[in-house]
Amino acid sequence: MNTRKILLAESDIPTHWTNIVADMPNKPLPPLNPATGEPIGPEALAPLFPRALIEQEMSGEALIEIPDEVRDIYTQWRPTPLFRARSLEKALDTPAHIYYKYEGVSPAGSHKPNTAVPQAWYNKQEGIKRITTETGAGQWGSALSYACGLFDLTCEVYMVRTSYDSKPYRKLLMNTWGAEVHPSPSPRTAAGRAILEKDPDCPGSLGIAISEAIEMAAQSDDAHYALGSVLNHVLLHQTIVGQEAKKQMEMAGEYPDVIIAPFGGGSNFAGLTFPFLSDNLKRGGKVRCVASEPASCPKLTRGIFRYDYGDTAGMTPLLPMYTLGHNFVPAPIHAGGLRYHGAGVVVSQLLKDKLIEAIAHPQKECFEAGILFARTEGILPAPEANHGIATAIREAKAAQASGEKKVILFNLCGHGHFDLTSYETYLGGKLVDHELTQGEIDTALADLDTPKID
Ligand SMILES: *Cc1c(COP(=O)(O)O)cnc(C)c1O
């Protein structure tokens, strides 16, 4: 029989998160205090995050131990399966071997609980009672709602307006796990009110929702804020995905030539690729790591490397990253989780140093890829995940053209069971590609008054 599914035992769940910073030839530049232009210290983050997470955020240690209780909760859905996409390979008639790591088996349906659980746990240890956050597609909000529920913490979610309106079931899932959900921009915060005054119909963006969640957390001593992507500690928590995948590829007797993951802020990309990228950096490995982003929010392929705020209102420290500018509001495409103006600091430095690659896809190509995947492999992918599938299919077609027997691994980072409205749009022939002109990008970047990086 031809193996399709490669499974690990609970005892194979990693004991440590692995920190790529230890292996990077050029370490990431420090975040800056916007008022002074000086690097921030840990105290700048203390109103928002527990001490242990701030330490992880600034850590250069290679290995960070996973707390036992967190590891125990991981067994609820981990280890996740690795699949060989034999039916997809057949449909593409490609000599390439295609593998995917499936993170949609988690309670929230994506990789996000891998970091939501430790984040909630560390906050609980510090006596925090309430956590605020933003959510785009609703995946992160669901994951944090689930995790907060486990530790009896109140969860307050600012959900980007377009998703709030188009995904009522994501909201209800969060409510079911006990969270409060508000459409963003909202009249509850100064940041939200300022935007609504200018544009009462604003579709919202992750940048705006982050400003609202930070503003609420900063106001009370027993509240903290949590972010589902971008920050170093979030990327770190996701490295259990790649560690498992390495073992599973070994069991399959193969090593990938190219690893692909969709890219919003970088967490699922980092999670799958970093443990392999460490092999490149430490042992001279040659695996290509490719980030797949939407053509309508192309910070990696068309943005600039510069200091910028992580949110729209300018409440975060300045981060050295690829960005389209913190005022950039992307078109309301269906992959809500990829509508973020910037990219994680670590991933940005790696791209700057050409140690990873990026590619942008229009959304129609992504949905075509997702539908072919659903019809062959059976799993309905999240619209974000379709971006990785689109890149994998391009790689497989290139292999077919050249007859090369390459090994492709991609991250199927979530299922699309709550995203069927977007499939309805596609199947009804109504899905459109959004052309983003250079003029629009130039306008968003012209507003930036943040420090440049030579
Ligand atoms: C959140 C999310 C993304 C984008 O965020 P990353 O931090 O870049 O992973 C992509 N896919 C899914 C399914 C998500 O939930």
Side-chain angles (χ1 to χ4, degrees):
M1 230 174 25
N2 288 329
T3 307
R4 284 180 190 264
K5 197 155 81 263
I6 299 151
L7 301 174
L8 297 169
E10 278 182 8
S11 56
D12 290 315
I13 294 176
T15 54
H16 292 74
W17 295 300
T18 56
N19 189 359
I20 191 86
V21 175
D23 304 323
M24 288 171 71
N26 295 321
K27 304 300 175 196
L29 299 169
L32 302 181
N33 176 330
T36 64
E38 295 297 316
I40 59 161
E43 70 291 343
L45 300 174
L48 296 181
F49 301 102
R51 213 173 29 218
L53 290 179
I54 298 172
E55 273 168 26
Q56 291 177 10
E57 187 62 25
M58 304 194 156
S59 172
E61 293 290 314
L63 293 176
I64 293 169
E65 194 170 5
I66 303 174
D68 281 343
E69 199 182 345
V70 170
R71 209 163 160 263
D72 182 54
I73 294 169
Y74 280 161
T75 60
Q76 185 79 37
W77 70 95
R78 306 209 70 85
T80 61
L82 181 87
F83 289 89
R84 169 97 183 260
R86 291 194 183 266
S87 303
L88 178 64
E89 286 172 15
K90 202 164 155 213
L92 293 169
D93 188 26
T94 175
H97 292 184
I98 307 176
Y99 292 85
Y100 57 95
K101 180 74 166 158
Y102 185 40
E103 289 294 307
V105 294
S106 80
S110 75
H111 62 291
K112 297 289 196 331
N114 297 333
T115 183
V117 168
Q119 289 198 48
W121 187 84
Y122 285 115
N123 274 292
K124 181 72 179 181
Q125 303 309 301
E126 260 189 30
I128 288 299
K129 301 274 186 290
R130 186 163 67 99
I131 303 185
T132 68
T133 198
E134 72 293 329
T135 196
Q139 289 272 19
W140 167 242
S142 321
L144 192 68
S145 303
Y146 155 72
C148 283
L150 294 175
F151 303 113
D152 209 14
L153 297 164
T154 303
C155 186
E156 185 176 315
V157 182
Y158 290 83
M159 185 170 189
V160 175
R161 170 107 243 168
T162 49
S163 300
Y164 185 90
D165 292 338
S166 65
K167 297 192 180 184
Y169 296 114
R170 269 282 165 205
K171 170 184 171 286
L172 287 167
L173 181 64
M174 293 184 244
N175 292 149
T176 302
W177 275 320
E180 274 175 37
V181 186
H182 306 285
S184 166
S186 82
R188 296 168 56 87
T189 64
R193 286 190 296 272
I195 304 261
L196 287 173
E197 223 162 82
K198 277 194 253 163
D199 179 8
D201 299 321
C202 178
S205 69
L206 277 168
I208 295 169
I210 294 173
S211 299
E212 293 205 272
I214 292 182
E215 184 181 325
M216 292 307 277
Q219 282 168 12
S220 29
D221 287 342
D222 64 355
H224 269 165
Y225 163 72
L227 189 62
S229 183
V230 180
L231 295 179
N232 301 356
H233 68 270
V234 181
L235 274 52
L236 179 77
H237 297 158
Q238 295 293 351
T239 57
I240 50 179
V241 175
Q243 292 182 64
E244 287 179 8
K246 254 172 92 167
K247 276 194 195 170
Q248 288 162 309
M249 289 302 298
E250 245 170 63
M251 287 162 72
E254 305 216 68
Y255 194 85
D257 296 303
V258 55
I259 310 179
I260 296 159
F263 194 98
S267 77
N268 90 84
F269 172 80
L272 182 63
T273 62
F274 282 5
F276 292 91
L277 194 61
S278 276
D279 283 353
N280 280 7
L281 299 174
K282 287 196 299 217
R283 290 185 265 283
K286 291 273 185 295
V287 58
R288 293 167 51 216
C289 299
V290 184
S292 311
E293 65 178 5
S296 52
C297 193
K299 59 261 183 168
L300 299 177
T301 52
R302 296 174 75 189
I304 52 169
F305 185 61
R306 177 170 180 160
Y307 274 101
D308 194 11
Y309 295 102
D311 69 320
T312 301
M315 293 179 188
T316 69
L318 290 164
L319 303 172
M321 61 183 182
Y322 278 92
T323 180
L324 293 162
H326 59 275
N327 287 318
F328 180 80
V329 178
I333 53 162
H334 288 287
L338 308 185
R339 293 178 73 242
Y340 183 64
H341 66 273
V345 167
V346 169
V347 194
S348 293
Q349 186 65 49
L350 291 166
L351 183 65
K352 179 87 172 62
D353 292 338
K354 300 194 165 55
L355 296 169
I356 60 170
E357 304 167 33
I359 181 173
H361 296 278
Q363 66 173 347
K364 265 199 213 161
E365 179 192 357
C366 297
F367 273 87
E368 271 157 29
I371 293 223
L372 176 62
F373 187 83
R375 289 179 184 174
T376 50
E377 296 295 311
I379 300 171
L380 179 82
E384 292 82 7
N386 286 345
H387 289 69
I389 300 171
T391 309
I393 289 177
R394 280 203 204 179
E395 289 286 338
K397 286 186 173 162
Q400 186 201 27
S402 66
E404 186 193 352
K405 200 182 143 267
K406 80 174 122 178
V407 178
I408 301 169
L409 166 64
F410 72 89
N411 205 357
L412 188 65
C413 51
H415 68 62
H417 296 178
F418 292 95
D419 306 284
L420 282 164
T421 314
S422 63
Y423 282 88
E424 182 185 24
T425 308
Y426 176 83
L427 293 169
K430 297 200 187 95
L431 194 84
V432 291
D433 282 336
H434 300 267
E435 284 295 329
L436 181 63
T437 64
Q438 192 55 41
E440 286 170 86
I441 294 179
D442 292 344
T443 306
L445 290 174
D447 289 348
L448 275 189
D449 53 2
T450 54
K452 290 187 178 155
I453 305 167
D454 327 310

